[in-house]
Amino acid sequence: MSEFTLADLEKIVDARSKASPDESWTAKLVSAGQPKAAKKLGEEAIEAVMAAIANDRENLTYEAADLLYHLLVVLKVAGIPLHSVMAELERRTAQSGLTEKASRQSS
C-alpha cells in the first residue's frame, strides 16, 4: 500500500504553485485565481459523480484523484491549510453524522 498522503500532495501543490504558470498546471490555476480553480474543481466533481453512477471503478479512481488534487488547489488559493480541514473532520467524528447535519440545518 502506498504511503503517499494528502499532506504529501498539499506540499507538492504548494511547491508547484510557486513555479512559472508557463511550466506548471498548478501555477497556472493558482495564478488564474479562485474562479478558475473552483470551476475546475466543479468539473472534476461532476466527472467523479458520473463515473460513480456508471459504476466505472477505474474512471472513478482517476476522477477522484483529479478531484482531490483540484480541491487542494482551491484550498491553496483560499489560504486554507489541509490541517484545518482535517481538524474539522476530526471534530465532526465526535458526534454522529446525522446529529452534525441536523445542527447545521438549524443554524
Side-chain angles (χ1 to χ4, degrees):
M1 173 134 174
S2 173
E3 293 190 24
F4 186 76
T5 68
L6 288 177
D8 294 332
L9 181 57
E10 180 184 42
K11 290 174 189 167
I12 292 168
V13 166
D14 181 58
R16 291 183 180 172
S17 73
K18 297 170 184 166
S20 166
D22 295 331
E23 298 173 4
S24 165
W25 172 244
T26 302
K28 188 172 187 168
L29 280 175
V30 170
S31 69
Q34 197 62 288
K36 176 69 174 177
K39 182 177 183 242
K40 285 302 297 176
L41 175 64
E43 290 170 5
E44 298 304 338
I46 290 167
E47 291 171 0
V49 167
M50 290 170 51
I53 290 170
N55 292 315
D56 183 344
R57 292 174 52 89
E58 183 177 340
N59 198 35
L60 179 55
T61 300
Y62 180 86
E63 296 302 341
D66 282 350
L67 183 59
L68 291 172
Y69 161 77
H70 284 90
L71 175 59
L72 289 179
V73 171
V74 165
L75 291 173
K76 170 72 179 164
V77 174
I80 299 171
L82 179 61
H83 70 82
S84 294
V85 176
M86 299 310 290
E88 176 60 17
L89 286 170
E90 183 178 28
R91 183 193 67 77
R92 291 180 186 188
T93 62
Q95 59 186 329
S96 81
L98 295 175
T99 302
E100 192 279 329
K101 189 170 180 103
S103 73
R104 286 189 285 148
Q105 291 174 347
S106 63
S107 301

